[in-house]
Amino acid sequence: MALSGGPASWLPLKASTGQRLTVGLFLGGSLLGLVGTVLSLLDPGAATLLLPWGFPWGRFAVVIDPLSAFFLWLIFTVPALGSVYSLSYWRAAEHPDNSQRLGFFYGLLAASMGMVVIARDSILFLIVWEIMALSAYFAAAVEDDRPEVRQAGWIYLVATHIGTLILIAMFALWYRETASFALLTPVAVPLSRAGIIFVLAVLGFGFKAGLMPLHLWLPGAHANAPSHVSAVMSGVMLKMGLYGIIRVSGLLLQLESWWGWLLLVVGSISGLYAIALALSQRDLKRALAYSSIENVGIMAMGIGLALLGRASNRPELVLLGLGGALFHILNHGLFKSLLFFNAGAIIHAGRTRDLEQMGGLGKNMPVTAGLFLVGAVAICALPPLNGFASEWLIYLGLFKTLAAASPANLALAGGAAVVLAMIGALALATFVKLYGTIFLGSSRAPAAPPAHDPEASMKIPMFCLAFASIFLGLLPSLIAPLLEKAVRLWAPLLASGLTLAALVPQLWLTYVGSGIIIIIAGWACWQKILRQGKAVSRGVTWDCGYAKPTAKMQYTGTSLSQPLVRLFSFALRPGTLKNLTNLPFPGKSEMQNFVPDAVLERLVLPVFQRCSRFIPKVYIFQHGQTHLYVLYVLLICIALFVFSGIGGGL
Amino acid sequence: MIDLMVHLLFLLLLPPLLMGIINKTKAGFAGRRGAPLLQRYYDILKLLRKGMVLSATTTWVFQAGPLITLIAVLLAGLLVPLGSSPALFSFTGDFLLFAYLFGLARFFTTSAALDTGSAFEGMGASREVTFAVLTEPAMFFAFLVLARLSASLSLAGMLHSRFVALDYPGSVAPMVMILLGLFIVFLAENSRIPVDDPTTHLELTMIHEVMVLDHSGPLLGVIEYASALKFFVLGSVLINIVMPLYTDRPWLNWLMFTSGMIGLAFLVGTIESITGRLRLPRVPALLIVAVLLCSSAFVILLR
């Protein structure tokens, strides 16, 4: 019972006697929550709390099972680190008008996410879901004096409410089929209805998770939020959407294989398209946001594989697919938060998000550069860090579909492994570009203030996340029991004897990973000793004989990604703004390349603008005269009476 | 045990020789006598003894790049079966590690190139990451085909098991197709003609050589060695596909393997002598051919 007390105790954060108190309370709440999560794992019986409440429907049903517990790890750690980070990043003294508001909604956001993963009643779920969505809005749009923040917040609000509407429809259908709002035990819903519920869940939760093409709100909201809020949104809140998909599909006993194909295809498209967009961004935080969509796509592929495995009775696919997806959820929460914290440190030092104004920061900010490198290597899924450990599971699951015994068309899922490989290569290009343009070379902004590493309270959270990324990369087998428990809960058909250790030799990652690190460290020391007697001279960069290279001559991030953008121009639709003059005495000419979000700018916004041309015609009904409004109420009542009368007559 | 020792010795010592063979072949086609076969060894040893010049723009990443690349490629070399040795380490899913170790190498090679802040090296890095986006899918389609045919999920099982391609009527065409596809990937990954020209580095069209323009002395030696090693490791995958048959006599296996590698170097030298480098915008088309070959092989296999 101590468990649900954890998240609830975060609520007193309203106490605005200062940021420190807020952070202290927040840390206390998180710690309590972590203790609760550990206790719930030790206790074999699921920790359940059922209370009646005043609402006519539903009840207060809260359960912590291994699946919720897995998400709770993330919810209780990343936001807590973010709140420490905010001490220097969002100093109350520098932001007197909004730091209290941010602190309050930040706490509320974390607490409501904790409630989302343990709520087991449709009504309660929708309530906490809405609290989460709204507090995220207020936390992200805290700088509401800037127009682009308001614009991004507005798009977010519209998107999240469309998602919630779809979820309400889904839960209504759920109630109709099961005659209960409870989400406690798996139910056998007729396949045709179950399919509709599943599709609605993918749509509704997909808005939150950022699956393409439902991701429209995501890049803008992440780019314009304070960095620790972006970190929590990207590292944790997106995963709530995936949690929803996993939970709902777990509650449906019967399923068909097309559910798995749907998620596999949607995940592949999200992954490929989002990483191509990430590659082409000029804005650091937008690029990171698109890369989150890509990672959500990878997780969706894992879940899709698990659904395929369940439909075709292949427990190893379920374990590798869902296990890999859950592990990747955890890993992405760690390294993406690290990267967003890093972005915050860079913005703090350089006051810009524009990649083309950066360069050479590695010399002045060695700690930030090193930590960014850890995050970048991890997110590209390169060994020996944790990104590889989780993608490895998904890859192996996809390759296991090839086994001769499986149904013939299942092997097509192997093709998703190729998509994953291509995503990996594009992610590598993206993060080489980000790391190279920000930290390497020399500064592109001539008058930039000298950058410096951030204060300890920003560095410590980053160190914790980087350490966790390395640790989980080297010892992925530690997390395996938690994954197995969660997966077993999701798919009861799983034979209890099947373990990850039996399927994949995770210990090898430990050996090879520690081997790589030891050799690199040893070599570095040896080089240092060896170099002592050698002549090392310093010079300028060799530019084919040109003796005075300047920072302007460097390759920019845009030019680095240009060949790939051109290769994918059929999908990315890059645009160019030109103002080139051909006069005898040319004046100032300029050219700019940009890649818009094709879904938002070429599809959704035009449609909305088209609509806004017709919508004013509805304004004639809205004229502020109360007696006419009363008439509307009356008319609607009569219409309802007539309608229900006809309905009853039939 | 002896096989493993030979594996290690071959892996460490043979690669620069292959570079010598390529250069001899090219010299032969051009009617020259050419540099000695062992020239690459002399070059590397000479470079290792030299001092170096570091650009003032660079940081530690510039120096770490070549080292991490070498370590990654060397580890990948321990995962492939060579001759009659089934690989030093072999476990389920090691082929993914194999592919991603090359990714790790690429990450640090390109980062080291960007560290110099030079436009040339930026171009090289840009092209390297671009072409990888097309070579990786081809490689993974080939892995899918091999995994399906051999019913194994480790490199040693895929390449060194005694599955005989001819036993399985539908498998010959896919094997030939992935072999062609992988050969294109091999040429691209090793920066050989027709994708890249390893003999010049001052043109704007180069990839690998232009990325290492600023490295000198021991670091350049490490790079030269690592690229020879990469040629050897990726080449041995091809040789394993061409010659999946093994005899009971280890020495004969090693002989077959070595002659296969020499033949591969000769083939690469011949291609470099009789064809030109493609224009850069045409390179993606060539790589897409590789992807199509490997993906069609996969589709044929599943048909």
Side-chain angles (χ1 to χ4, degrees), chain A residues 363 373 381 392 395 402 414 421 428 435 440 508 516 523 531 535-539 541-544 553-555 560 563, chain B residues 51-57 63 67 75 91-93 100 103 111 115-120 122-123 126 140 144 148 214:
Chain A
K363 285 190 215 58
L373 187 64
W392 194 57
Y395 263 124
L402 294 173
L428 193 141
Y435 183 65
L440 305 177
W508 273 105
I516 294 177
W523 193 314
R531 188 96 39 73
V536 175
S537 50
R538 289 262 164 189
T541 295
W542 171 247
D543 251 347
C544 299
M553 291 163 59
Q554 288 177 96
Y555 231 44
L560 187 76
Chain B
M52 62 172 128
V53 184
L54 290 176
S55 160
T57 321
Q63 297 173 50
L67 304 183
L75 274 174
F91 51 94
T92 308
Y100 273 79
S111 292
D115 203 10
T116 59
S118 146
F120 293 108
M123 278 178 212
S126 165
F140 271 77
L144 284 171
R148 173 83 171 184
D214 253 83

Side-chain angles (χ1 to χ4, degrees), chain A residues 171-223:
Chain A
F171 282 122
L173 196 60
W174 173 264
Y175 179 68
R176 198 190 135 109
E177 291 303 321
T178 66
S180 149
F181 285 114
L183 303 171
L184 289 171
T185 46
V187 182
V189 176
L191 269 179
S192 56
R193 295 297 164 78
I196 299 175
I197 291 181
F198 178 75
V199 170
L200 287 177
V202 170
L203 282 176
F205 290 122
F207 266 106
K208 184 62 66 182
L211 285 173
M212 292 251 172
L214 311 174
H215 68 281
L216 352 133
W217 62 273
L218 202 148
H222 281 67

